[in-house]
Amino acid sequence: LNFPLKKIVFVYNLASILLKNKIKNMIEQLIRKIFGDPSEKRVNEIAKDIAQIHEAEKQFENFTLDDVKIKTWEFKAKFEGRDFHDEEDSKKIKSLLEDIKVDAFALHKKACELMNGKSYELSDGSQMTWNMIPYDVQLIWGLAIHSGSISEMKTWEWKTLVATLPSYLNALSGNSVHVVTVNDYLAKRDAEEMWVLYKNLGLTVGV
């Protein structure tokens, strides 16, 4: 047999890679069978908060958008005098955020419901009709981001709306929240469109 040495080396390397990947996949499958999928377990842990959010929504049943803003001010008052740069205050702020997390997400959802179907004028004079209310899956993604996890979402799964959930919660502490996107156009567009929500929640937005 007269095979060129380069072809033999290439086939050998390819076989090695395929074998390594097969072994790697087998090990990963075995780990999942024994310990479960870590991502799935994390989602299941976070999902426990959804029932609490639904329960918390009941207290806001008769709220108006003015009531939403007043409630936001009540949340923010809990953090007055706290400095995130102080170690003890930082711990307290994080603890307070966890304490109000469920209510804040429920209030955010209520604001979206109150805005639903209403038209708002943007800075360029165009009209935007609000039609976004977070579903449970979006609440889960928002909770995951707040907890420091990464939420992988596809196009048209309302990533921009999801980002407003942890942004609203963490802004209640009085500290600035920075939402980063891939370019200036999207940063301006998203800030403009989500501004109507943040305004009704009692917050301000800058780009």
Side-chain angles (χ1 to χ4, degrees):
L1 296 175
N2 185 23
F3 288 110
L5 181 59
K6 287 184 178 179
K7 287 187 177 180
I8 294 174
V9 172
F10 171 78
V11 171
Y12 173 79
N13 289 337
L14 180 61
S16 297
I17 292 170
L18 292 174
L19 181 60
K20 286 179 181 178
N21 286 338
K22 186 175 181 180
I23 294 172
K24 180 184 176 184
N25 290 335
M26 288 173 62
I27 293 172
E28 288 178 349
Q29 289 174 11
L30 180 61
I31 290 173
R32 287 195 183 97
K33 284 182 180 179
I34 297 172
F35 300 104
D37 188 323
S39 297
E40 185 178 342
K41 288 172 70 176
R42 183 71 184 120
V43 169
N44 289 336
E45 288 174 7
I46 293 171
K48 294 176 183 177
D49 288 329
I50 299 302
Q52 295 181 47
I53 291 173
H54 290 321
E55 187 64 28
E57 288 179 62
K58 296 177 182 178
Q59 64 183 302
F60 307 132
E61 187 175 355
N62 297 317
F63 265 37
T64 65
L65 285 173
D66 286 336
D67 294 326
V68 169
K69 292 176 184 175
I70 292 171
K71 189 62 181 179
T72 291
W73 296 334
E74 290 178 7
F75 284 145
K76 294 177 77 171
K78 297 177 182 290
F79 298 90
E80 286 184 2
R82 302 284 180 186
D83 182 1
F84 213 103
H85 296 95
D86 180 84
E87 186 176 350
E88 290 302 315
D89 278 354
S90 179
K91 291 179 182 178
K92 183 61 177 176
I93 288 170
K94 290 177 182 178
S95 176
L96 284 169
L97 286 173
E98 288 303 305
D99 289 344
I100 67 171
K101 175 179 65 180
V102 167
D103 284 350
F105 270 57
L107 186 67
H108 175 291
K109 184 178 178 182
K110 182 62 179 181
C112 290
E113 291 173 351
L114 290 168
M115 293 169 60
N116 192 40
K118 293 183 179 180
S119 294
Y120 296 89
E121 184 174 349
L122 305 181
S123 61
D124 62 359
S126 63
Q127 294 287 321
M128 173 190 178
T129 300
W130 187 266
N131 62 355
M132 290 181 281
I133 301 172
Y135 294 101
D136 287 355
V137 66
Q138 278 127 15
L139 295 174
I140 290 173
W141 281 323
L143 289 165
I145 294 172
H146 170 67
S147 71
S149 299
I150 296 174
S151 295
E152 184 178 355
M153 301 173 62
K154 298 177 182 178
T155 304
W156 302 112
E157 289 185 332
W158 289 357
K159 294 185 287 291
T160 307
L161 179 66
V162 168
T164 64
L165 285 155
S167 295
Y168 170 63
L169 172 60
N170 285 272
L172 296 172
S173 68
N175 292 286
S176 298
V177 173
H178 300 271
V179 180
V180 181
T181 189
V182 294
N183 57 50
D184 290 344
Y185 165 75
L186 287 177
K188 185 176 181 181
R189 186 204 67 180
D190 292 351
E192 177 83 2
E193 292 183 355
M194 294 301 108
W195 168 80
V196 295
L197 172 58
Y198 287 125
K199 180 183 177 183
N200 282 314
L201 285 167
L203 300 180
T204 57
V205 177
V207 181

